[in-house]
Amino acid sequence: MRIVQIIDSLEIGGAEKMAVNYANALLTKIEFSGLVATRAEGKLKSELDEKVSYLFLNRKRIIDFGAVLRLRKYCKENNIDFIQAHGTSYFIAILVKFVYPKVKIVWHEHFGARHTENINKNTLLLFCSYFFKGIVVVNKSLEEWCKLNLRCNNITLLNNFTLNKVEVPCTILKGFEGKKIVCIANLKYPKNHSFLVEIANKILKKYPDWSFHLIGKDFLDDYSNQLKAQIRDYKLNDSVFIYGSKNDIFHILKQSDIAILTSISEGLPVSVIEYGLMKKPVVLTKVGEIPFIIKDGIEGFLVDSNDIDLFYEKLINYIQEEDLRTQMGNALYQIIIDKHSEKYIIANYLNWVTNL
């Protein structure tokens, strides 16, 4: 089997990480594993195994005939069986199929809020779905939405996974040792960082020696500007820190004591898998696939979106009880190892693809 992953960019993000993870994980499992970045490269390029075939298309427009032809040539020269298109990269994959009908398209959907959208907002996706051989989704809501709205019957739910990798430690978290709360999420909707700052403001009034650490791409846009203004308004600049994109995630997590997510919608966040691998106690919003992985009060705490009082209460529980942090972190680790390991997910994926 010969499979290539396609992703719009290699900037740090959930879908981007999964494209790299699949390319790396499949390298020793199939005859050919490749990855194509269509619009931009980025920090995740350094995490791609050197043996994975790589192509950067430098696509400039929505319909870029030069990029389509370069991708067609790549697929033809490498005798590609499947293009696994992540997120919005499905469109260029379909254009390639029009000029190279032999290749089969698998769409990998990561956008957790898709299930809230009307099909009228996704007419291009509906049209393209006629040409999908299969669809991979990362939570049950997306699975139901795709079955109801798209024209492809081969749909499978596969959990995200992450790979242990060699990192170059470079990020040093600020604040006091043993009192650091981390959130790994790009600064964008629907990650809901303003809610995080509200929680931080409430926590820090009672525990001023604790600190919050925001890891993820800063797009330097209105969302970012409003977030920074909110931090300034609450006078939290010495307790809430923004670091931007980082490659040494496991090193960062080693320095942290509690891990959180405050999103209002998700697929299955890769950051939750990373939290688990590092045995971090978590407080997460009850969105996407998260409630199907984590049992509240056993592998972590789950809170409804924007329930600031309950989120605050659960964080206080962790702050006050170090033994509880250890217990919850170990329980989450076991779930991730059992159900979200590379070996488990890739075996299920290959079985599904083979049957296509």
Side-chain angles (χ1 to χ4, degrees):
M1 203 178 306
R2 306 175 70 83
I3 302 174
V4 62
Q5 312 297 315
I6 297 186
I7 187 71
D8 287 338
S9 87
L10 288 175
E11 293 292 347
I12 294 176
E16 293 79 5
K17 279 191 176 183
M18 289 313 302
V20 171
N21 285 351
Y22 268 87
N24 287 343
L26 290 171
L27 187 59
T28 59
K29 307 290 192 304
I30 60 176
E31 187 178 357
F32 176 93
S33 179
L35 184 141
V36 174
T38 68
R39 289 186 177 275
E41 298 186 295
K43 291 184 177 181
L44 286 174
K45 183 180 177 183
S46 65
E47 296 187 12
L48 197 63
D49 191 294
E50 62 181 12
K51 294 178 182 177
V52 171
S53 173
Y54 174 72
L55 172 67
F56 174 49
L57 285 181
N58 199 23
R59 179 184 175 197
K60 299 295 187 182
R61 297 171 296 279
I62 294 176
I63 299 179
D64 184 331
F65 291 111
V68 171
L69 292 177
R70 288 193 294 277
L71 184 52
R72 177 187 182 274
K73 180 182 179 184
Y74 176 87
C75 290
K76 192 171 182 179
E77 287 180 347
N78 292 291
N79 196 25
I80 299 300
D81 300 308
F82 287 94
I83 291 177
Q84 184 166 340
H86 295 260
T88 54
S89 66
Y90 69 82
F91 183 61
I92 191 171
I94 293 301
L95 295 179
V96 168
K97 186 167 181 62
F98 290 162
V99 295
Y100 188 55
K102 173 186 174 182
V103 75
K104 303 174 187 70
I105 309 298
V106 169
W107 180 47
H108 201 137
E109 167 65 315
H110 301 269
F111 181 46
R114 180 86 61 190
H115 74 278
T116 66
E117 296 181 350
N118 190 286
I119 191 59
N120 293 331
K121 193 176 178 180
N122 291 275
T123 52
L124 178 60
L125 176 58
L126 172 61
F127 168 75
C128 290
S129 70
Y130 283 96
F131 303 94
F132 294 161
K133 188 68 174 176
I135 298 174
V136 177
V137 295
V138 295
N139 70 40
K140 294 182 187 299
S141 298
L142 290 175
E143 182 179 29
E144 292 169 3
W145 189 91
C146 290
K147 286 179 177 177
L148 180 64
N149 293 290
L150 301 184
R151 300 298 178 262
C152 176
N153 295 323
N154 297 315
I155 301 172
T156 188
L157 193 164
L158 291 174
N159 295 323
N160 286 342
F161 65 94
T162 193
L163 307 174
N164 288 317
K165 59 184 184 293
V166 176
E167 293 182 335
V168 178
C170 57
T171 306
I172 303 300
L173 297 186
K174 302 170 185 178
F176 294 104
E177 192 72 23
K179 299 183 178 183
K180 300 174 184 178
I181 300 169
V182 70
C183 176
I184 299 176
N186 288 340
L187 302 191
K188 66 177 183 178
Y189 176 86
K191 303 301 182 181
N192 205 12
H193 287 85
S194 62
F195 176 61
L196 185 155
V197 175
E198 294 290 342
I199 294 165
N201 186 49
K202 196 170 181 179
I203 289 284
L204 292 166
K205 287 177 180 177
K206 187 170 183 178
Y207 295 97
D209 48 350
W210 280 74
S211 54
F212 289 75
H213 306 266
L214 282 53
I215 312 297
K217 184 173 175 60
D218 185 349
F219 296 91
L220 303 175
D221 55 7
D222 288 343
Y223 183 100
S224 170
N225 293 335
Q226 290 168 14
L227 176 64
K228 292 168 186 174
Q230 185 184 14
I231 293 171
R232 287 194 302 271
D233 290 345
Y234 282 137
K235 297 180 173 56
L236 299 178
N237 294 80
D238 294 329
S239 302
V240 179
F241 305 103
I242 296 174
Y243 296 82
S245 296
K246 295 296 176 182
N247 272 8
D248 56 335
I249 294 300
F250 292 114
H251 175 63
I252 288 169
L253 287 171
K254 282 180 183 177
Q255 302 171 64
S256 68
D257 303 281
I258 302 169
I260 63 174
L261 277 182
T262 55
S263 307
I264 59 175
S265 70
E266 283 286 358
L268 172 56
V270 176
S271 55
V272 173
I273 311 300
E274 294 168 336
Y275 294 167
L277 285 176
M278 295 304 293
K279 300 183 179 181
K280 295 299 155 183
V282 297
V283 184
L284 312 168
T285 44
K286 200 184 300 182
V287 295
E289 193 69 7
I290 291 172
F292 298 99
I293 300 170
I294 296 171
K295 295 185 285 295
D296 182 36
I298 298 177
E299 290 101 16
F301 290 126
L302 303 184
V303 178
D304 288 331
S305 299
N306 291 314
D307 188 340
I308 190 167
D309 291 333
L310 186 57
F311 208 110
Y312 168 82
E313 176 189 319
K314 299 306 181 184
L315 272 180
I316 292 294
N317 288 345
Y318 280 148
I319 288 171
Q320 294 178 340
E321 300 181 45
E322 187 172 348
D323 288 346
L324 179 63
R325 300 204 299 262
T326 301
Q327 173 190 326
M328 291 285 205
N330 286 335
L332 180 57
Y333 172 79
Q334 198 57 54
I335 284 292
I336 297 306
I337 290 298
D338 289 346
K339 298 291 180 68
H340 299 271
S341 66
E342 170 195 348
K343 181 178 179 180
Y344 179 86
I345 300 302
I346 291 298
N348 282 278
Y349 167 81
L350 287 175
N351 182 62
W352 175 74
V353 170
T354 301
N355 289 327
L356 291 181

